[in-house]
Structures are given as C-alpha cells and as structure tokens.
Amino acid sequence: MTDLLRLTASPTEAEIDAWHAVVTDAHAHDLPAAVPAPDRVETAGALRVPAASSRYVRLAVPMPDGDGYAGVASLRLFDDEENRATAWIDGLVVRPDQRRRGIGARLWRELREVLTEEKRTSVSLEIELGGEGEQFAVAHDCTCALPLVMYVQRITEETVEPPRLPDGYRFVHWNGVVPDEHAEPFAVAHGAMADSSMGEVDEKPFQWDAARIRAAQNAVVERGGVMLTVVAVAPDGTHAGYSELVQRAPGDVRALQYDTAVAPAYRGLGLGRAVKLRMLELLAEEGLPVREIATTVADDNGPMRAVNKLLGYRPERSIGIYQVRLPSV
C-alpha cells in the first residue's frame, strides 16, 4: 500500500479538493439523504484554521493510481492543561469503494503512534450508530462513552413565536466574535456547561476566560462560517443564559446549535426557551438561508430535551462519542 502523507498546516487547493472528495463520497454513502453534505468552505476552513488551544495531525492515504486520496484522518491534540492526556479524532474516513483494504487500519495505527508520542492516554471520536464506522470502532477496542441523539428543528412561520423574558431581563446578541464589553460575563456564563453530561468521556470542559472565548468564536469565523450568539442578561448584568448557532458555510441551509446553557442560579425561568426563540428571530433579521437547525442532546439531559420538543425538534438519527483508552507511557 502507498505510504501515508502528512498534510502541513497550510494545505494546497489540490490537497483540500482531494480531502473534500473523500468526506463527501463517504457522506453520500453513510448518511441519510436528508443530511446535507459538508461544503468545501467547511472542509478548507477545518484544514487551515485550528480550533482554540489545539494542534492537529492530518493524514492521507493516496489512491493506488495517485489520483486523490483513498482515506483521510484528522487528529486534534488539546493543548489546554485540563485535556493534555486526551485527544479527539475529527474524522477517520475511507472512500466507500476503497474500504476493506486495510486503509482505515493503516490510518488508525499511525494515529496510535502519534498518541503514544504525545503521551495521550485516551482518544475520542463521534460515530454514527449502526453503520460501518461503529463496526470499525468496536473492532479497534473503542466503546461508547456517551450516546447522543441528533435532533433537527425545521424552521417554519409556525415555529417563530415571540420570545419572553422575566421582568428586568434583556437580550443582547452579536454576529461573529464576542464584543469586548461582553467577553468576561460571557466567559463566566460558559461555566454553566461544566455540569453538562459527558458520560464516560475523559475530555474535560474548558476553563473559559475572555481570551479563550474570543479564540473559539474567531476560529469559526476564520473557517468561513457564520456564528450568532444570543444572551439573556439578568438585571444585575450577569449573563444568565445563552445560545450559540453556527452556519459552517455561508450558503448552508442547515445550521448547528452549538451550546445552549443557563447558569444554575437562573434555571427554571424559561431562559433556555427564550434564547432559542430569540435566535430564530435573529436568523430572519440577518437574512440567512437557514431552514433547519441540528443539535445533539444526551438522553439524560431532560430539561433541554423538553425545551427542544416544545420548539419542534424531532430526532433524526443516533450517534455516539466513542472512546478508547490507551496504555500509559
């Protein structure tokens, strides 16, 4: 088999095209037709712009005739102190017509070597349940650490109802990176995600501060995406709840709900529902072509599942965060 290639941090247009061909071919084969394929803007952005506090190793196996790639893999190595012992596989993908030829196993072996060199004791990845990806993961000693369901809300005139906040509360919102005057309270609000269910996943929630918030949102923008944020501000100026929405490429009709969270002291006031409804208004105000919103929710997150059900979210498919623990070095 032709040996692996390791992409640089600045891949060429031809390398991006070859990578994108692999992920779109696999997407068409592995996922329901209703799930939109990734746009090339998304692929290029992910390959060229690292996420905050992270380094990447990106591998590709050339096709036998040298025309494009047969398989690709992207490994995210966390650089924050909380997660220096773990890592995340952004994707390990083999073209459908090249499967069962040892390509996935070759990529996996190389990833294991990198993880050993980096002294990582576990690695996780997101997998569609019931498909070839899950079969591959189980065969390579991965176990499901957090089962999730992908829910989708289709936006119609009926789903857009006026958001309501308790007396004294107000909305703020922004497109792109958090404004300076909101960075600190918004970072504190992100701490509300610390009690989110992570199942058996070793990855720990980030310790958010203003700099990390700016870096995380800036990465989305630099990758070519659109990021909208809505915050419910309490009478004392605290960011009591928020919702983040990402359109990964400007023409995407499906957006991703990133985080929606309410600080513990403000739960039970309907803020989660309010910020989501305000987000729907904001989508219309911004003139974006988004017609549906997708989000993942853990089965044990009853409050958020209840909010989403009232807003018209319906389950689309089951996925899981799979993890393998590696020998300590």
Side-chain angles (χ1 to χ4, degrees):
M1 181 187 299
T2 304
D3 205 3
L4 288 170
L5 302 175
R6 185 177 289 204
L7 274 65
T8 69
S10 300
T12 66
E13 295 296 326
E15 289 171 331
I16 292 171
D17 286 340
W19 191 290
H20 187 61
V22 175
V23 298
T24 52
D25 283 356
H27 180 99
H29 181 271
D30 297 333
L31 292 173
V35 181
D39 189 280
R40 189 185 183 279
V41 169
E42 178 186 346
T43 301
L47 290 175
R48 286 176 168 165
V49 181
S53 303
S54 303
R55 294 175 290 118
Y56 286 82
V57 174
R58 296 192 172 98
L59 307 170
V61 175
M63 287 285 287
D65 61 4
D67 185 14
Y69 299 151
V72 296
S74 178
L75 177 66
R76 179 182 180 183
L77 297 164
F78 300 110
D79 282 337
D80 58 295
E81 288 300 327
E82 310 94 295
N83 290 301
R84 284 190 181 274
T86 190
W88 176 263
I89 297 174
D90 271 347
L92 195 165
V93 187
V94 178
R95 283 180 44 162
D97 63 354
Q98 297 296 309
R99 292 177 182 174
R100 307 191 189 285
R101 303 183 185 189
I103 294 170
R106 176 72 180 91
L107 289 164
W108 174 243
R109 287 196 300 273
E110 184 69 15
L111 292 181
R112 289 284 298 252
E113 290 182 14
V114 172
L115 292 163
T116 299
E117 292 170 4
E118 291 281 340
K119 297 181 172 57
R120 308 287 164 142
T121 56
S122 67
V123 64
S124 303
L125 71 166
E126 182 179 296
I127 292 176
E128 302 287 328
L129 299 188
E132 294 178 49
E134 185 179 24
Q135 295 171 16
F136 179 89
V138 171
H140 289 82
D141 302 321
C142 297
T143 58
C144 187
L146 180 63
L148 299 166
V149 176
M150 180 71 74
Y151 292 86
V152 176
Q153 178 191 33
R154 290 179 172 81
I155 302 172
T156 65
E157 292 182 3
E158 290 74 20
T159 58
V160 183
E161 60 178 275
R164 296 179 178 85
L165 286 174
D167 291 343
Y169 288 71
R170 60 187 175 88
F171 289 116
V172 296
H173 69 266
W174 57 85
N175 184 334
V177 181
V178 57
D180 289 346
E181 64 268 28
H182 293 298
E184 289 292 348
F186 189 54
V188 173
H190 263 64
M193 291 297 293
D195 63 358
S196 297
S197 174
M198 291 296 290
E200 300 299 320
V201 179
D202 288 347
E203 183 183 336
K204 302 294 189 297
F206 287 137
Q207 298 299 309
W208 293 101
D209 57 23
R212 177 169 279 177
I213 288 289
R214 291 191 189 97
Q217 294 196 331
N218 189 61
V220 173
V221 175
E222 288 191 351
R223 286 180 173 187
V226 176
M227 187 166 199
L228 302 179
T229 305
V230 171
V231 177
V233 181
D236 65 357
T238 300
H239 285 197
Y242 69 91
S243 186
E244 295 173 313
L245 192 90
V246 171
Q247 187 188 20
R248 291 172 292 183
D252 282 357
V253 297
R254 174 177 286 195
L256 294 181
Q257 185 80 67
Y258 268 30
D259 293 341
T260 296
V262 177
Y266 299 93
R267 291 173 185 170
L269 301 176
L271 300 185
R273 178 181 174 86
V275 292
K276 281 176 170 279
L277 287 171
R278 178 68 186 108
M279 182 66 77
L280 293 176
E281 289 185 334
L282 186 57
L283 278 173
E285 292 168 10
E286 294 286 331
L288 299 179
V290 174
R291 300 311 307 157
E292 55 188 33
I293 300 171
T295 187
T296 55
V297 183
D299 286 345
D300 61 1
N301 190 346
M304 190 53 64
R305 287 194 295 114
V307 168
N308 286 345
K309 185 176 181 179
L310 288 172
L311 292 174
Y313 282 82
R314 297 292 180 265
E316 180 183 70
R317 62 194 199 275
S318 295
I319 60 178
I321 306 300
Y322 271 70
Q323 178 175 266
V324 59
R325 291 198 168 99
L326 308 169
S328 299
V329 178

